[in-house]
Amino acid sequence: MIEINEKIALEHGLKKDEYKKICELLRRNPNITELGIFSAMWNEHCSYKSSRKHLKKLNTKGKKVIQGPGENAGVVDIGDNDAIVFKIESHNHPSFIEPYQGAATGVGGILRDVFTMGARPIANLNSIHFGSPSNKKTRNLLRGVVQGIGGYGNCMGVPTVAGQTSFDESYNGNILVNAMTLGLVKKDKIFYSKATGLNKPVIYVGSKTGRDGIHGASMASAKFDDRIEEKKPTVQVGDPFTEKLLLEACLELMKDDSIIAIQDMGAAGLTSSSVEMASKGKLGIKLNLNKVPCREENMTPYEIMLSESQERMLIVLETGKENKAKEIFDKWNLDFSVIGKTTDTKKIELYFNNERVVNIPIDYLSAQAPEYDRKWKKSKTPQKINYKKKDFKKLKITEILKKVISSPNVCSKEWIWEQYDHTVMGDTIQKPGGDAGVVRVHGTQKAIAASVDSSASYCYAHPLSGGKQVVCETWRNLISVGAEPIAITNCLNFGNPEKPENMGEFVECVQGLNEASKYLDFPVVSGNVSFYNETKDQGIKPTPTIGGIGLIKNYKDMLTMDLKEFGNLLFVVGKTEGHIDQSIFAKEILNERKGPPPEINLFNEKNNGVTIIKLIKDKLVESVHDVSLGGIITGIAKMCIKARKGAKIYKYKGLLDKFEYYFSEDQGRYIIEVKKDNIEKVKKILDNNSNHYDLIGEVIKDNVEIDDEPTLSVDKILELNKNWLKNYMLN
C-alpha cells in the first residue's frame, strides 16, 4: 500500500495547505484512492475555487430562464412547451496535446451535457483559437482539431451550424477549443442530476471503463512545460458511434418515469458524477467498484474512479425499474450494471474486493472544497494612439480592403466548416458563414439562431470593455438574422489565476460581461471556466467566449447578410466615431497593436438592436450585417461576397478622416439594405427611435466602387477572402 505524504499530494496538483486541510477534515491521512478523489474534486475544473466568488455576481435570471448555472446545461423557454438546453465548454489542454481526440471528445462531452437533460441535440457550434500562422505547430493543430470536431459531430448526426476561428501568437503554446451544443426538449420532460430517495439503485451505462483520461480534469488545471508529450495518456479517446447509441438509449429510457437523476461521466469521471448527484440531493452514495464494467484487466479503485473514458452515464433509478432499463441498454448493445445505491450517510463509500476503500463525507468534496479570494490587479486603460494625417497619406482604400479581407482573422473559414455536416437532420436554414447559424424547431414555424464570439485583443487591451463587447457582439449577430436574443452561455479562458494581473483580467472581464448581460436582459444560464492556459509561464490573452441563442417566431422572417437587389440603398445604423485602436486596420496596415478597444455604449447598443429587430419584423430591410472586424467597408465587402453583387460607396463628406470612417471598429452598428420604396418608412422609424444613421451607398452589379479609387471586382474580393486559409492549409 502506498503511504500518502505531502510530496504525493503535490504531484496530484494539490497545494500544501490543501493537503493539510484534507488530513484535518478526515482526521487521518487519505489513502491513494481518496487522495485521487480529492485532487479531482478540488481542482479548478471541478471546484471553480478561484472563480466561484466572482461567478456568483453574474446575471442568471430572466423571464425565459428555466434552469440557470449549476446543472449540466442551461435551459430556456421558447414557448409551446418547448425548451432549448445549451452550454459551451472548453477542451483546451487535451486538444493541444492530441488535437484530434482532444477536440473530438470535447464535442462528445458537450453533447452528453445536453442529452443528459433529456434534450435531443439539434446543433453544434465551436470557437477555436490557434497561434500565429507562422508558428510551426499551428497548421497541424488546426488540421487535427477541425478533423476531430467534424469526425465526432458528423458521426453523431448533429449539424455544426456556426463557429469562430482566430489566430494570435498568444496561443502558440496553448490553443483553445470551445465546443457548444443546443438541444430541444419538452418543458415537462427535463431531467436533472439531483439524486433523491434512499436505497435507490445507482446504474452505470454506456462504454466500459479504461485507463484513458486518468487525471484529465487535473491536467486541465495545470500549466504546460517542456514535458507536454508525457501528458498524452491523460487525453480521452472518443467513440461517436457508441455515443450515438447512448443518446438513443437514454432518450428511450426517458420516455417513462424510471429516472430519478442522471449525470454524464465527464471531467473526473465516476468521481464527479457520483459526488455531484449525491451532493445536490444531500444524500450518501455507496458503490461496489467490482461491478463497474472495465475493458482493461486489473484496474485499481484509483483508476476506476479517475478514468475519463468517454460515452458513460450514471443514473439513479426508481426501485424496480432496473430490468426494464437493462432491456433498453441491452437492445442498444451498451453496458448496464447496478453498481450501488443511495444512502442516508451523506458519505461516498466505495467497496472493492469486499473492502471499503473510500469513506469520505460528501460535503468535504463539495461544500467544503476550497474557495479562494485571489489577489487581483486592476488594468490600466491604455492611452489612445494619436495617429497623424501622414500615417494615412499614401494609403489607398481598395488596397487596404484587399489586405484586410484576406488577413487570417477576417478571411473566409469555409475550408473549416465545409468539413462539418451542417445540413444533417434537415432543419438547418442558415449555414455557417453568416452572422449566426439558424435551425428550425422541427415541425413548427419557430427557429433558433445561435452564435459564438470572442475578442481576445479587446479584452487584453482593457478587460472590462472587452467583457462588455463580446456579449454585445453575440447580441448583434443574433439580431442581424432576425432573432430576439434570449440567453447566453460562457466559456472563460484565462491564464494562471495565481498571478494578480491574470486574475485581474478575469475579474474585470466578468464584470464587463455582467454589465452587458444585465443591461441587454441577456442572462447567463450556463458556462465553464478554463484557467492555467499557459506554457512556460507565457499565458494566453484573456479570451471570454460567449455563445448566445435567440428565437425567430416564424422562420420565414429570418434574414441573411447577402445583398438582394440592384438599386437598393445601404445605410449604416449607429454612430461612427472613428475608433481604430485595436482594429484590424491598425494591426494589419499600420502595424500598431497598442491603444484601447472601442468604447461600449450600452444604451446605444440596445436601442440600435431593438430598432433593427423592428425593421426586420416590419419587413422594411432586405439584408442586415453587423459591423465588426474590419469596419464598414469590410462588412459591405462580405455582403457583396455572399451575394456575388457589387456596391457603390458614396463619397464620404463627414468630419472624420475617411480611413477612420471606413475601417474603424466602433461598436453597436449595423449595415442595412433598404428598397427605395421603403426609405421614408425606415428613416421615420430611425428618427423616432433616435438612432444615428448614414446613407453610405447602393447595390450595383459586379464591382465595389469607392470614391474615385480604382474599381475592385467582387470576384477578386471573393478570391482574396476565400483563398488565404485554403492556401495556408495546402502548404
Side-chain angles (χ1 to χ4, degrees):
M1 183 174 289
I2 300 173
E3 185 177 339
I4 303 304
N5 53 39
E6 188 180 89
K7 181 175 181 293
I8 295 174
L10 294 175
E11 290 171 352
H12 277 71
L14 292 161
K15 306 294 184 186
K16 289 182 180 180
D17 59 335
E18 291 174 346
Y19 176 63
K20 183 181 178 182
K21 182 179 177 181
I22 290 168
C23 295
E24 289 173 353
L25 287 170
L26 294 174
R27 298 182 181 180
R28 58 178 172 84
N29 283 4
N31 62 42
I32 187 64
T33 305
E34 291 173 329
L35 183 72
I37 288 171
F38 270 105
S39 74
M41 294 306 299
W42 282 20
N43 67 49
E44 291 283 358
H45 196 78
C46 293
S47 74
Y48 293 85
K49 59 189 177 184
S50 296
S51 57
R52 279 208 314 272
K53 172 182 169 66
H54 304 283
L55 296 176
K56 292 173 185 175
K57 303 171 186 176
L58 289 174
N59 169 42
T60 61
K61 307 292 185 183
K63 291 179 181 178
K64 295 182 179 180
V65 176
I66 297 172
Q67 174 64 55
E71 265 295 340
N72 286 294
V75 189
V76 295
D77 189 345
I78 61 167
D80 310 306
N81 198 36
D82 292 324
I84 295 294
V85 179
F86 71 110
K87 189 183 182 183
I88 190 169
E89 276 207 341
S90 62
H91 227 222
N92 303 333
H93 284 42
S95 299
F96 187 63
I97 298 167
E98 214 298 295
Y100 183 93
Q101 288 295 351
T105 52
V107 174
I110 197 64
L111 282 164
R112 286 195 304 279
D113 280 340
V114 168
F115 74 75
T116 299
M117 299 193 71
R120 180 172 289 281
I122 58 172
N124 288 333
L125 299 87
N126 56 77
S127 177
I128 52 180
H129 304 261
F130 300 90
S132 166
S134 61
N135 183 274
K136 62 182 181 181
K137 289 186 176 181
T138 296
R139 190 179 284 103
N140 286 335
L141 287 167
L142 174 58
R143 183 175 287 109
V145 165
V146 170
Q147 288 174 348
I149 292 170
Y152 208 103
N154 294 353
C155 291
M156 283 292 294
V158 180
T160 300
V161 300
Q164 178 207 18
T165 305
S166 77
F167 299 89
D168 187 275
E169 63 275 6
S170 77
Y171 307 119
N172 282 349
N174 206 122
I175 66 172
L176 303 181
V177 176
N178 297 171
M180 177 177 169
T181 293
L182 285 64
L184 179 66
V185 67
K186 293 297 179 181
K187 282 167 57 179
D188 56 356
K189 295 297 289 184
I190 300 169
F191 289 80
Y192 298 95
S193 58
K194 178 182 176 180
T196 59
L198 297 178
N199 296 312
K200 300 296 184 181
V202 177
I203 316 296
Y204 174 115
V205 299
S207 290
K208 288 180 169 57
T209 294
R211 290 186 171 92
D212 58 310
I214 293 174
H215 294 304
S218 301
M219 179 269 296
S221 301
K223 299 179 287 185
F224 284 158
D225 53 31
D226 289 327
R227 301 164 62 191
I228 187 173
E229 291 296 315
E230 296 176 13
K231 298 185 183 289
K232 279 194 175 183
T234 63
V235 179
Q236 308 90 335
V237 178
D239 179 358
F241 298 104
T242 299
E243 179 134 326
K244 175 64 173 172
L245 300 178
L246 183 62
L247 162 68
E248 298 301 339
C250 286
L251 293 182
E252 184 174 343
L253 183 61
M254 288 168 171
K255 289 178 181 177
D256 63 22
D257 298 323
S258 298
I259 296 175
I260 295 172
I262 181 168
Q263 176 74 45
D264 81 295
M265 296 189 213
L270 186 53
T271 290
S272 64
S273 56
S274 56
V275 170
E276 287 174 14
M277 292 173 85
S279 174
K280 289 174 181 176
K282 301 187 185 308
L283 297 172
I285 191 165
K286 183 185 290 186
L287 304 178
N288 182 349
L289 299 186
N290 291 102
K291 293 186 176 182
V292 174
C294 295
R295 66 170 182 264
E296 298 181 52
E297 294 182 356
N298 302 317
M299 288 191 69
T300 65
Y302 178 95
E303 293 171 326
I304 292 168
M305 291 304 293
L306 295 184
S307 167
E308 293 185 12
S309 295
Q310 298 290 284
E311 296 85 41
R312 303 178 300 159
M313 293 282 187
L314 198 64
I315 302 174
V316 178
L317 278 183
E318 288 287 0
T319 305
K321 300 286 188 177
E322 297 94 326
N323 290 337
K324 183 180 179 181
K326 186 175 187 304
E327 286 176 6
I328 291 172
F329 285 91
D330 284 348
K331 181 181 77 172
W332 291 99
N333 199 30
L334 294 165
D335 277 285
F336 177 100
S337 180
V338 181
I339 65 170
K341 64 180 181 180
T342 59
T343 69
D344 62 357
T345 65
K346 297 185 179 181
K347 293 180 177 181
I348 179 169
E349 299 173 271
L350 305 180
Y351 290 81
F352 188 72
N353 293 340
N354 296 316
E355 288 185 34
R356 189 168 66 181
V357 293
V358 167
N359 183 27
I360 306 173
I362 293 287
D363 273 359
Y364 293 0
L365 300 167
S366 53
Q368 296 195 50
E371 180 176 339
Y372 295 126
D373 185 5
R374 301 275 192 199
K375 291 182 180 178
W376 61 278
K377 186 177 179 182
K378 189 176 176 64
S379 304
K380 293 182 180 177
T381 303
Q383 286 194 337
K384 198 168 182 179
I385 306 297
N386 185 22
Y387 298 98
K388 309 293 185 186
K389 293 292 183 184
K390 65 178 183 178
D391 296 330
F392 306 140
K393 196 171 180 182
K394 295 182 180 180
L395 298 177
K396 296 290 183 183
I397 294 171
T398 50
E399 293 302 312
I400 296 168
L401 176 59
K402 288 193 296 187
K403 289 181 181 179
V404 168
I405 206 75
S406 61
S407 61
N409 287 326
V410 177
C411 73
S412 168
K413 304 305 186 296
E414 187 174 347
W415 180 89
I416 294 172
W417 57 257
E418 69 183 2
Q419 298 182 56
Y420 307 149
D421 191 335
H422 46 268
T423 60
V424 65
M425 298 179 76
D427 284 315
T428 304
I429 56 174
Q430 189 156 172
K431 65 183 185 181
D435 287 304
V438 185
V439 292
R440 287 182 300 189
V441 177
H442 196 75
T444 76
Q445 296 292 304
K446 296 180 295 190
I448 301 298
S451 177
V452 62
D453 301 281
S454 68
S455 185
S457 293
Y458 290 172
C459 289
Y460 183 65
H462 193 244
L464 179 64
S465 297
K468 292 180 191 178
Q469 188 277 335
V470 69
V471 174
C472 293
E473 173 69 15
T474 303
W475 161 272
R476 288 194 298 273
N477 282 335
L478 297 174
I479 283 173
S480 295
V481 299
E484 294 189 38
I486 297 176
I488 58 177
T489 180
N490 62 58
C491 190
L492 307 177
N493 308 277
F494 289 80
N496 185 348
E498 298 167 49
K499 296 178 179 177
E501 59 272 22
N502 288 350
M503 194 65 206
E505 290 172 341
F506 176 81
V507 172
E508 292 191 275
C509 263
V510 169
Q511 183 184 337
L513 189 162
N514 188 46
E515 286 181 22
S517 167
K518 278 185 177 177
Y519 196 92
L520 299 175
D521 192 19
F522 204 25
V524 180
V525 299
S526 59
N528 166 240
V529 177
S530 175
F531 278 136
Y532 296 99
N533 289 289
E534 62 175 46
T535 298
K536 297 181 184 178
D537 289 328
Q538 182 63 48
I540 64 164
K541 288 178 179 175
T543 312
T545 301
I546 299 297
I549 69 161
L551 175 66
I552 304 173
K553 291 181 179 178
N554 187 331
Y555 69 86
K556 294 179 181 177
D557 294 335
M558 180 193 74
L559 222 57
T560 57
M561 62 187 281
D562 52 298
L563 300 174
K564 301 300 188 298
E565 192 175 322
F566 301 137
N568 287 348
L569 298 183
L570 301 174
F571 290 79
V572 178
V573 178
K575 191 168 177 60
T576 300
E577 304 281 358
H579 188 100
I580 59 174
D581 290 342
Q582 296 299 326
S583 68
I584 292 290
F585 172 72
K587 293 170 187 173
E588 297 289 337
I589 307 303
L590 305 177
N591 198 29
E592 178 59 72
R593 283 166 170 74
K594 296 180 180 178
E599 292 183 10
I600 305 295
N601 184 313
L602 291 173
F603 174 84
N604 289 340
E605 191 73 61
K606 188 171 188 176
N607 190 43
N608 291 340
V610 169
T611 303
I612 294 295
I613 281 289
K614 178 174 174 54
L615 292 172
I616 294 172
K617 283 184 175 178
D618 292 349
K619 301 189 183 301
L620 295 174
V621 289
E622 307 306 305
S623 65
V624 175
H625 180 41
D626 77 307
V627 180
S628 55
L629 291 179
I632 291 170
I633 289 293
T634 306
I636 291 174
K638 286 189 171 185
M639 297 171 83
C640 292
I641 289 171
K642 281 285 184 182
R644 306 293 197 273
K645 291 182 173 67
K648 178 179 177 63
I649 309 301
Y650 299 151
K651 190 172 182 67
Y652 177 65
K653 297 178 181 178
L655 298 175
L656 297 172
D657 185 279
K658 64 181 180 181
F659 298 98
E660 292 174 328
Y661 182 80
Y662 288 141
F663 294 103
S664 69
E665 294 180 10
D666 300 292
Q667 300 293 289
R669 297 179 296 162
Y670 302 81
I671 301 161
I672 61 173
E673 177 190 1
V674 183
K675 287 183 176 181
K676 289 181 179 177
D677 291 348
N678 291 328
I679 293 296
E680 294 310 312
K681 292 178 184 176
V682 169
K683 284 184 175 181
K684 185 177 180 181
I685 290 172
L686 292 169
D687 288 333
N688 288 343
N689 292 345
S690 300
N691 303 105
H692 183 96
Y693 60 94
D694 301 322
L695 174 61
I696 191 172
E698 63 182 272
V699 182
I700 63 172
K701 194 176 180 181
D702 297 336
N703 299 313
V704 174
E705 301 176 6
I706 307 168
D707 286 355
D708 54 356
E709 296 205 11
T711 295
L712 191 59
S713 73
V714 173
D715 286 345
K716 181 63 177 177
I717 299 172
L718 170 64
E719 180 189 337
L720 290 167
N721 184 242
K722 190 175 179 178
N723 286 351
W724 182 87
L725 185 57
K726 184 172 72 173
N727 292 338
Y728 174 73
M729 296 308 298
L730 287 173
N731 292 329

